[in-house]
Amino acid sequence: MIERPSTQSGEFAQHPRLLLFGVTKLSEMLDKGNVWYVRNYEAYFRRVDVAYLIGSGQGLTQGGTHLHSLGSGPGWLDLLLAPWRLWRLARKLKPDVVVTADQVFSWWTGLFLRLFLGHRIVLMPVSVPEGLYADHGTTLSGLPVWLERRLVRLSFANASLVLTGHAAGGYVDLLSAYPPAKDKLLVVKSFGEALPSPAFLEMRHEYRWKARSSGAEAFRLIYVGRLHAEKLVDDLVKCMVGVKALRPNLQVKLRLIGDGAEMKCLQEMSRDLGVASDIEFAGSLPNDAIAAELSAADVFLSPLTGNSLREAALIGLPIVAYERDWVVGMLKQEETALLVASRDVDGLAQSVVRLAEDVELRRTLSRNVLALADDLWTPDGLKASLAALHAAVRAPA
């Protein structure tokens, strides 16, 4: 693990430029509604550029952040041409720090940056591929598991630094134990991907969660995220069956916010299991509507979520989560959340019932998770973390 270089006040007064890149489509990120979280990097960097290497489209700008869509044709052609297109953009922008979250193809897409411009590529993992392989045999890229696993190792091998933060919870331990990462690992407090968009951070104070006493109204559960197989949302449908079995007279409603390939399957499952009337499929909603949605619920359910869990915490919404992925070591049982072993649907149902019947526990979880979120997932600690990243990139290899 790399020790963080000193970043005394004034050392980097020029506020340098950051380039982020990945094999993603700008159009898809815009559809998800959370693309502008990258503006959090303006806490330190004077200019932030984000290169989307797949798919065509018009670039966008907000403040000091610029989004570039570099693709122009089929995905395979965009991937083939990505090193040259990215080199051309970087040669024009002259970034001081180059970061990617792409664990599969960055060994290739960043090739010309390393060879011809001398950039030290920083790899910042925001997912755990091995979790996908174990759960469903699916991959990040759609390639066979054996091939993607080799490409991931190649991307780690070609990165100069591997960045993570305490704001990412269990990733610190996971990456410390991963041989291709551990000797080049830079651990800071926070990083931009761990924070919601600046717009959400501004409005969250208007929507602080308040506990409702048990009454005639239904107990409201919420999930925000993609409806894809790897997200394990089917477990939430099964959980509703378990809640009914445990407390037949308890009125519980689940609101699923998000879209994806699994929506029809999940709707059919809810009908087959007899809980269709208790589950609302809200579809995708604008990001600026999420704070109000979260504050109106009683509990956030997280089988496998990232940014939406942090948004729930920043509202102070009590959380029930699978203890897996980045959550391990981050949330603490009965202190900041109720944690359940991965795929333990009965445990999910029991936790929901417990919170429905214990308003004081809901208040305790809310108070503690909000304190955690204020410490880790707001801009306060971000500037120093980004300065440490810049110092590490500038340090002798």
Side-chain angles (χ1 to χ4, degrees):
M1 187 180 298
I2 298 170
E3 294 186 3
R4 294 190 300 177
S6 172
T7 54
Q8 296 180 356
S9 177
E11 184 177 352
F12 302 125
Q14 75 274 23
H15 294 296
R17 298 182 174 201
L18 171 69
L19 173 61
L20 300 159
F21 71 91
V23 180
T24 51
K25 293 182 179 181
L26 175 55
S27 59
E28 290 182 354
M29 294 299 294
L30 291 171
D31 288 342
K32 292 178 182 178
N34 63 349
V35 67
W36 290 110
Y37 72 87
V38 292
R39 291 203 63 192
N40 290 309
Y41 286 103
E42 294 179 36
Y44 176 76
F45 292 98
R46 177 170 59 89
R47 176 176 172 129
V48 178
D49 289 275
V50 188
Y52 298 89
L53 301 177
I54 304 295
S56 59
Q58 293 294 320
L60 298 170
T61 295
Q62 276 192 14
T65 297
H66 309 265
L67 310 182
H68 308 267
S69 187
L70 300 188
S72 62
W76 65 269
L77 181 60
D78 284 342
L79 182 59
L80 181 65
L81 297 176
W84 174 71
R85 288 170 172 166
L86 187 59
W87 164 80
R88 188 173 59 176
L89 179 67
R91 187 180 61 169
K92 173 184 176 182
L93 297 174
K94 297 180 173 57
D96 299 278
V97 179
V98 179
V99 178
T100 182
D102 182 3
Q103 300 177 70
V104 182
F105 297 112
S106 59
W107 63 272
W108 166 249
T109 55
L111 180 64
F112 288 7
L113 300 189
R114 297 192 305 272
L115 292 181
F116 303 132
L117 296 179
H119 284 298
R120 303 177 69 192
I121 306 296
V122 179
L123 180 59
M124 180 180 56
V126 294
S127 62
V128 181
E130 290 295 335
L132 295 180
Y133 308 158
D135 284 333
H136 299 288
T138 57
T139 60
L140 294 168
S141 63
L143 295 171
V145 171
W146 66 269
L147 178 56
E148 181 173 288
R149 189 177 273 132
R150 284 164 174 76
L151 296 181
V152 168
R153 293 184 72 90
L154 192 57
S155 290
F156 274 90
N158 279 276
S160 296
L161 294 171
V162 177
L163 175 68
T164 193
H166 297 293
Y171 279 21
V172 175
D173 290 337
L174 287 169
L175 292 168
S176 297
Y178 186 46
K182 64 179 183 180
D183 293 332
K184 56 181 76 171
L185 187 62
L186 174 66
V187 180
V188 295
K189 182 176 182 179
S190 190
F191 52 93
E193 268 71 5
L195 276 66
S197 69
F200 181 91
L201 290 169
E202 288 178 4
M203 70 172 57
R204 74 185 183 101
H205 300 289
E206 302 176 24
Y207 294 100
R208 286 294 172 91
W209 180 84
K210 294 181 181 179
R212 297 184 305 142
S213 300
S214 300
E217 293 185 23
F219 192 68
R220 299 169 297 192
L221 311 176
I222 192 170
Y223 164 87
V224 181
R226 291 181 288 118
L227 303 184
H228 290 181
E230 66 269 18
K231 290 297 186 177
L232 312 179
V233 186
D234 56 325
D235 284 6
L236 302 187
V237 177
K238 298 171 187 175
C239 168
M240 294 296 288
V241 179
V243 170
K244 274 196 165 186
L246 289 169
R247 296 290 188 277
N249 295 325
L250 181 64
Q251 294 293 313
V252 178
K253 301 292 183 181
L254 170 62
R255 184 166 167 82
L256 300 176
I257 297 178
D259 205 346
E262 291 292 298
M263 177 176 281
K264 288 186 178 180
C265 291
L266 293 169
Q267 289 173 329
E268 291 176 2
M269 177 184 290
S270 67
R271 288 192 292 269
D272 292 343
L273 295 178
V275 291
S277 62
D278 299 316
I279 301 177
E280 180 182 359
F281 291 84
S284 296
L285 296 179
N287 190 248
D288 58 10
I290 298 302
E293 291 283 347
L294 292 171
S295 67
D298 294 299
V299 170
F300 181 83
L301 294 183
S302 173
L304 180 58
T305 60
N307 200 50
S308 60
L309 185 150
R310 292 187 281 267
E311 289 177 338
L314 285 161
I315 295 294
L317 180 59
I319 294 166
V320 176
Y322 277 159
E323 192 172 19
R324 56 173 293 154
D325 200 68
W326 71 279
V327 168
V328 177
M330 169 61 69
L331 301 181
K332 298 190 181 301
Q333 174 71 331
E334 301 190 11
E335 181 178 326
T336 50
L338 292 188
L339 300 175
V340 179
S342 182
R343 310 312 305 267
D344 182 2
V345 176
D346 291 338
L348 283 179
Q350 291 164 8
S351 295
V352 168
V353 169
R354 184 179 175 192
L355 284 176
E357 297 176 342
D358 191 339
V359 66
E360 288 305 317
L361 179 58
R362 299 203 299 276
R363 291 192 177 108
T364 297
L365 296 183
S366 171
R367 181 172 60 251
N368 292 338
V369 81
L370 182 58
L372 177 70
D374 282 337
D375 182 49
L376 290 179
W377 302 320
T378 58
D380 295 341
L382 184 59
K383 185 174 181 179
S385 296
L386 297 177
L389 167 62
H390 184 208
V393 170
R394 286 167 54 106

